[in-house]
Amino acid sequence: MDSCLFIHGFTGGEHEISPLSRFMEQHHYRSRTFTLKGHGGSKEDLRNSDRHDWQRSAEDELMELLRTEDGVHLIGFSTGALIASHLSVHYKPRIKSLTLLSTPVFPLNPLEIVKTLSSKAMLRNYWRKFGSTPPKATWEFRRLVRESFDVYPLIETPTLIVQGQRDHLVQTKSAKYLQRIIKAPNKQVMLIEGSGHMVCHCEDKDRIMNEVLQFIQNAGSR
């Protein structure tokens, strides 16, 4: 039985990828989810962590899986996709596949987000999130975004790129950039017309999850 390691996004949690992790378990994959260091607690916890802490906490989970597994499928959402990209390069021989969901290669800034929002409820939600996020944490996120540009060309693991075309946090060109710059001979891009950032919770989630499953099954059989 193969194992999948799921990595959630910045200021988020396991709920962001839980529909997909449960789906993979239903199809006989071990699913491991966890909370990145500094996340899931207080604002102070997030302020006192940095991008290295986030990456180390994901690496610790991966190492724990690799104690008993020959290889692992990495699935990262948003900032988790950045971290998964780094791990796929550092542990290249033992990563069976890489699934990148809503990867913030080119993230939008708060003012751009406001311009694109049509729902007042969504607008209030985003402003509340921005107000509760320590500036230091946002700076660490942006440094991770910049550092990841050095990693993308080194990815050789079979890669699936999933991007919602109505994502208010990530520019759509992010997926096209990854498709062009990642050197993996086996790579696929899935653009979801009606989806925003939370691809595991969108109306097309069933189609997305089945695509992820098929991709991982094919990558695992190579």
Side-chain angles (χ1 to χ4, degrees), residues 138-186:
T138 301
W139 173 245
E140 289 293 329
F141 160 72
R142 293 195 171 278
R143 292 184 71 177
L144 180 57
V145 168
R146 289 195 300 270
E147 292 168 355
S148 297
F149 280 97
D150 293 332
V151 170
Y152 302 133
L154 304 178
I155 295 174
E156 298 178 359
T157 300
T159 303
L160 173 63
I161 301 156
V162 180
Q163 174 70 52
Q165 292 187 307
R166 298 180 61 186
D167 193 332
H168 298 101
L169 297 177
V170 177
Q171 297 179 50
T172 306
K173 69 177 182 178
S174 294
K176 296 179 180 178
Y177 175 84
L178 291 173
Q179 183 181 27
R180 177 171 56 85
I181 206 71
I182 288 176
K183 304 303 183 186
N186 178 14

Side-chain angles (χ1 to χ4, degrees), residues 208-222:
I208 294 170
M209 291 191 292
N210 277 293
E211 188 72 23
V212 172
L213 173 63
Q214 183 177 349
F215 179 80
I216 287 177
Q217 286 174 334
N218 291 339
S221 65
R222 292 175 182 271

Side-chain angles (χ1 to χ4, degrees), residues 27 58 70 79 92 107 131 149 166 170 178 187 195 206-207 211:
H27 288 82
D70 292 331
T79 299
K92 188 179 303 182
F149 280 97
R166 298 180 61 186
V170 177
L178 291 173
K187 58 186 172 185
S195 176
D206 291 339
R207 182 163 67 93
E211 188 72 23

Side-chain angles (χ1 to χ4, degrees), residues 47-92:
R47 181 185 294 112
N48 289 333
S49 67
D50 59 26
R51 67 195 188 284
H52 301 300
D53 293 322
W54 312 336
Q55 291 172 293
R56 274 194 295 268
S57 61
E59 186 174 16
D60 288 344
E61 297 291 333
L62 175 60
M63 292 298 295
E64 189 63 30
L65 279 176
L66 290 176
R67 293 181 191 278
T68 57
E69 302 285 343
D70 292 331
V72 170
H73 299 278
L74 290 177
I75 302 173
F77 168 74
S78 194
T79 299
L82 304 181
I83 296 172
S85 296
H86 286 249
L87 291 175
S88 76
V89 170
H90 294 314
Y91 293 88
K92 188 179 303 182

Side-chain angles (χ1 to χ4, degrees), residues 183-195:
K183 304 303 183 186
N186 178 14
K187 58 186 172 185
Q188 297 178 25
V189 175
M190 187 179 188
L191 295 176
I192 312 301
E193 184 176 353
S195 176

Side-chain angles (χ1 to χ4, degrees), residues 199-210:
V199 292
C200 292
H201 294 268
C202 74
E203 291 183 357
D204 272 335
K205 63 180 181 297
D206 291 339
R207 182 163 67 93
I208 294 170
M209 291 191 292
N210 277 293

